[in-house]
Amino acid sequence: MLMNLQQLNKVCFTICIVCIVLGTVLSMAMIWFEISDNSFVWKSWLTIGVLFLASALTLSVNKTLGGRGQEDGEK
């Protein structure tokens, strides 16, 4: 394999954590600065959501398929 599955997990977990932090900061900004009507804010939310879901799905597929490969004797 070109990329080690553990490295892929680390990258995806990092992306998920960054998305959570950015989502928290954006939420706080929306509350304190009342910027919810701005289209940039909503596009930012959607981008963070897409990145988070893509990383979470990649992690779940990696865990599912990675576990099966190790049962068959593959590394």
Side-chain angles (χ1 to χ4, degrees), residues 1-72:
M1 290 188 161
L2 292 175
M3 184 176 215
N4 188 0
L5 295 180
Q6 289 179 345
Q7 290 173 338
L8 181 62
N9 279 344
K10 287 179 184 179
V11 169
C12 289
F13 276 126
T14 302
I15 291 172
C16 286
I17 290 171
V18 168
C19 287
I20 291 169
V21 170
L22 288 176
T24 303
V25 169
L26 188 58
S27 296
M28 296 300 283
M30 288 176 73
I31 292 169
W32 287 98
F33 301 123
E34 298 177 11
I35 56 172
S36 61
D37 293 336
N38 192 347
S39 66
F40 176 77
V41 173
W42 291 108
K43 288 180 183 179
S44 298
W45 262 117
L46 293 173
T47 302
I48 291 170
V50 167
L51 287 173
F52 181 82
L53 287 176
S55 296
L57 287 173
T58 302
L59 282 170
S60 66
V61 169
N62 187 19
K63 184 170 178 83
T64 302
L65 296 180
R68 288 184 184 167
Q70 290 176 353
E71 290 174 2
D72 297 335

